[in-house]
Amino acid sequence: MISKNTVFLAALAFVVSGQLCVPETLDCDEVLPTIYKMGDGSCACDSKAHDGALKYSNGKLFLCLNSEWKALRMTGVQEYGTEFNPGSSCEDILEKANGKDLSDGVYWIGIRLSESPLSTSFPVYCDMTSGGWTLVLKVVSHADQGLVKFWDVLYSTWPIQEYNMEALSITNQYKGHYKNRVYLDGNWEYFNASQARVSLYERGNVVKELVFNAAASQYSNWFEKARLKSSPWSDIWSDQQNYFSVSGYCGAPGGQQCRYFYINRNFGGCHIDRGWLMYTDNNACGFEHVPRYSTVQYSKLSGSARMDAYGR
């Protein structure tokens, strides 16, 4: 069932009048009209040329697609940003609210809906207070290792927990990572974000935030120093970095002992290593598994910090 087209087609069915419809008695040898109304009878839907034709029969609306009449779910016109009337992004939903105040929370968007009538909308968390930011990826400290590990989340060609409403929040009450289809190869470019933001939350409040220029980026390269627009750490601009990437550093093959979203200044041993940010499921140094394994760690200073002094 087509979320975006459903609303459009339902609205269209309401405005089609008898003058615009073809009579129920049809010559099926003629070119199939784009819109027609009929009863129990039916012309064939048996060629590519018929794709997109509509018919109304016995209280149902049908779409000719791939040589088959497919029944469409009829709904009333729903508010923009809902399941059957999705926006293209949180910013798009906010812009089309016509000045109405929208709260932060879950809304519905779609990717490539205009290309495939069988595409579906999906829920996302929207930060409307800050201008309509769309949550596409979430990393959780102390994630349940019985669920999907972050290596698998990062490199999966499928969304992770996309329809799990518990995961769609800025808290870590749901002990699992999250990724929606925007953060997939090809879809990221189609989504065409102008900016990307990394926000570190503690108890529902932002404690640190970085903003990147995402224009013409790929999902694999938006997080790099050359794209950085703003940072809470003043020395990140002048100091060198030996790592600045989402994929970061792995101490063993196959996604074992890794540091992701890794912005690091230098190595030199566990009590000398210095940097700004990482999500670690490594266990090479004591600070990576004390007090608990699998944590987002960051410098609480105005600049870089020794790793063993990171906030957890």
Side-chain angles (χ1 to χ4, degrees), residues 33-284:
T34 301
I35 302 173
Y36 67 97
K37 180 179 179 180
M38 61 190 309
D40 295 332
S42 174
C43 287
C45 167
D46 57 8
S47 78
K48 195 69 176 176
H50 297 161
D51 278 4
L54 303 175
K55 75 171 183 178
Y56 180 79
S57 176
N58 297 324
K60 294 182 179 180
L61 187 66
F62 294 82
L63 170 70
C64 179
L65 183 67
N66 297 326
S67 301
E68 181 182 353
W69 286 114
K70 297 183 181 294
L72 300 177
R73 180 174 177 178
M74 298 287 288
T75 67
V77 176
Q78 297 195 11
E79 188 173 353
Y80 196 61
T82 52
E83 182 176 4
F84 300 112
N85 191 11
S88 59
S89 68
C90 295
E91 184 180 30
D92 170 56
I93 295 169
L94 185 61
E95 288 177 348
K96 293 179 180 175
N98 297 320
K100 178 182 176 182
D101 289 334
L102 298 182
S103 60
D104 300 341
V106 176
Y107 295 81
W108 289 74
I109 68 171
I111 297 291
R112 303 178 185 272
L113 289 179
S114 61
E115 295 183 4
S116 172
L118 294 181
S119 296
T120 57
S121 58
F122 57 98
V124 295
Y125 180 85
C126 293
D127 176 2
M128 295 303 195
T129 303
S130 302
W133 292 82
T134 305
L135 176 67
V136 299
L137 181 73
K138 186 173 77 169
V139 183
V140 177
S141 280
H142 315 315
D144 184 347
Q145 296 302 300
L147 298 173
V148 181
K149 294 184 178 180
F150 189 66
W151 170 274
D152 298 314
V153 173
L154 187 60
Y155 294 105
S156 171
T157 57
W158 295 92
I160 303 295
Q161 304 296 341
E162 186 175 60
Y163 287 92
N164 187 334
M165 294 300 178
E166 292 183 358
L168 290 172
S169 73
I170 54 174
T171 73
N172 65 348
Q173 292 181 352
Y174 175 75
K175 297 299 182 182
H177 306 304
Y178 160 86
K179 178 174 77 172
N180 66 37
R181 70 191 69 178
V182 174
Y183 205 80
L184 296 177
D185 189 20
N187 283 351
W188 176 270
E189 292 84 350
Y190 189 90
F191 189 72
N192 195 28
S194 59
Q195 297 184 91
R197 191 181 87 191
V198 175
S199 300
L200 307 182
Y201 287 89
E202 287 188 5
R203 298 178 179 85
N205 298 312
V206 176
V207 292
K208 298 287 184 182
E209 197 163 77
L210 300 94
V211 178
F212 296 81
N213 174 13
S217 67
Q218 298 176 334
Y219 82 107
S220 58
N221 69 6
W222 62 271
F223 186 86
E224 56 185 27
K225 186 174 181 178
R227 292 184 174 275
L228 187 63
K229 295 181 64 177
S230 65
S231 166
W233 302 296
S234 58
D235 61 351
I236 202 169
W237 308 100
S238 56
D239 280 10
Q240 64 180 6
Q241 290 92 34
N242 58 2
Y243 283 94
F244 198 131
S245 70
V246 173
S247 56
Y249 161 84
C250 289
Q256 302 297 314
Q257 301 180 1
C258 295
R259 296 169 179 172
Y260 305 97
F261 285 93
Y262 195 26
I263 310 179
N264 193 63
R265 185 181 184 279
N266 61 265
F267 288 149
C270 292
H271 298 293
I272 299 176
D273 293 356
R274 192 175 189 91
W276 295 267
L277 174 67
M278 66 177 170
Y279 168 74
T280 176
D281 60 11
N282 200 346
N283 59 6

